[in-house]
Amino acid sequence: MAGKLHWLGVIRGRFLLLALTCVALGIAAALQTRDLDGGFVVDALLVLLGALAAHAGVNALNEYSDYRSGLDLQTRRTPFSGGSGTLVAQPQYVEVAQWLGLGAVGLTTAIGLYFLVRQPALVWSLAPLGAVGLALVLAYTPWLTRRPWLCLLAPGLGFGPLMVLGTQVVLAGQISLSAALLSLVPFCLCNNLLLLNQFPDIEADRSVGRLTLPMLLGRAGAVQVLGVQWLLAFAGLLVCVLAGWLPAGAAAGLLCALPALRAWRLLRRDADDLECLLPAMGLNVAVSVLTPLLMAVGMLVAG
């Protein structure tokens, strides 16, 4: 059976952990204002399914678009970037990737509509978040990748404020200041995740008309943007915890500041050298995935 499902590679399954950890942070924020019960668990699982479907959908649509444009045939693939290579190896699944992506986005939309129908009072908070999220999914590859600053901010917006706050709205019926502040951490980290993954693809992206930040600023300039966002994420988290604006348990996310610093130092040494770039990309993935998870676990343990 596994051999017959290899086309599922277009959803880049191992990277879906990012959606899981960002939803976990939203769940932890919701539990600050709502008690855990059976209804909460069911709703949380539905939210998680919607988030995973959205992430899988954008991945599949990105693979479809990158193959159709010819980008996948030129990309310098790494373990962390350049797509899964599924369609390069098996081009007969191109249309399957498109329909899989659209179906996954449709599932996310259906789950959002279910919550709106069940809780009409959420329309003014949940509907705008859902509409922006849907626009990001559909516009990212064909439109945002040609606008470097918007392309920089889109991933963080999707995984940070939209995913974290959307989870809290559905589960707790409100958006709190603490959740808004919490969401800024994955906002900065997920911006950096996609930004660094663009480093090996500069020439390939240029060949299909994209304009990314490493192309606009050069790798050295983009490294400075990475450093600023890592600083904002971890210094901001520390300040907010010390000021009492965030639960003390959220400080567990600061454990990832050291690997982020290590990645930045590697990139400062030589962002063009694969011996520096690949370890930094690995650290970047780990920081982006683990920081919201550690924050969520810390908040839940600290109560």
Side-chain angles (χ1 to χ4, degrees):
M1 178 63 71
K4 296 180 180 179
L5 297 178
H6 39 61
W7 47 269
L8 281 174
V10 298
I11 69 172
R12 305 170 192 164
R14 61 197 178 102
F15 295 111
L16 299 184
L17 286 172
L18 180 62
L20 189 155
T21 62
C22 290
V23 169
L25 185 57
I27 291 172
L31 284 171
Q32 302 295 306
T33 56
R34 176 181 167 182
D35 293 331
L36 180 65
D37 55 35
F40 184 98
V41 172
V42 172
D43 287 349
L45 289 174
L46 277 175
V47 171
L48 178 58
L49 176 61
L52 290 172
H55 194 182
V58 75
N59 285 348
L61 292 174
N62 179 257
E63 295 255 332
Y64 168 79
S65 178
D66 286 354
Y67 181 80
R68 291 295 298 266
S69 70
L71 178 62
D72 271 354
L73 303 176
Q74 306 176 57
T75 299
R76 185 183 190 181
R77 192 166 293 109
T78 76
F80 314 105
S81 66
S84 69
T86 300
L87 298 182
V88 175
Q90 299 165 100
Q92 69 270 27
Y93 293 122
V94 170
E95 299 304 323
V96 173
Q98 181 185 34
W99 287 109
L100 180 61
L102 292 174
V105 173
L107 176 59
T108 300
T109 304
I111 291 172
L113 290 174
Y114 163 76
F115 283 119
L116 283 176
V117 170
R118 204 187 72 182
Q119 305 177 66
L122 299 183
V123 66
W124 298 112
S125 52
L126 183 59
L129 293 174
V132 174
L134 183 60
L136 285 179
V137 169
L138 297 177
Y140 182 77
T141 301
W143 193 75
L144 292 175
T145 53
R146 288 159 173 78
R147 291 156 179 83
W149 290 104
L150 292 179
C151 184
L152 169 71
L153 300 176
L157 180 61
F159 287 101
L162 295 184
M163 204 165 281
V164 174
L165 299 184
T167 299
Q168 191 193 40
V169 165
V170 168
L171 298 181
Q174 64 179 4
I175 293 176
S176 65
L177 173 61
S178 62
L181 293 173
L182 287 169
S183 74
L184 295 179
V185 176
F187 171 75
C188 292
L189 299 182
C190 293
N191 286 341
N192 275 0
L193 179 61
L194 273 292
L195 174 57
L196 185 53
N197 284 355
Q198 291 167 349
F199 276 39
D201 299 335
I202 290 177
E203 295 308 319
D205 284 340
R206 182 178 288 117
S207 71
V208 296
R210 291 186 178 179
L211 180 59
T212 61
L213 209 61
M215 294 163 60
L216 182 69
L217 302 179
R219 286 189 177 93
V223 167
Q224 299 309 310
V225 176
L226 288 163
V228 168
Q229 291 198 111
W230 278 321
L231 179 63
L232 288 173
F234 292 110
L237 175 57
L238 177 61
V239 168
C240 289
V241 169
L242 291 177
W245 299 333
L246 289 179
L254 294 171
L255 292 172
C256 288
L258 287 178
L261 177 61
R262 171 62 177 163
W264 187 69
R265 293 182 66 181
L266 284 169
L267 293 168
R268 290 265 294 175
R269 184 187 305 167
D270 190 349
D272 295 309
D273 183 0
L274 274 181
E275 290 188 5
C276 295
L277 182 58
L278 286 180
M281 293 174 75
L283 289 167
N284 192 28
V285 171
V287 167
S288 302
V289 172
L290 290 177
T291 302
L293 179 61
L294 288 171
M295 292 168 66
V297 171
M299 290 168 62
L300 294 173
V301 170

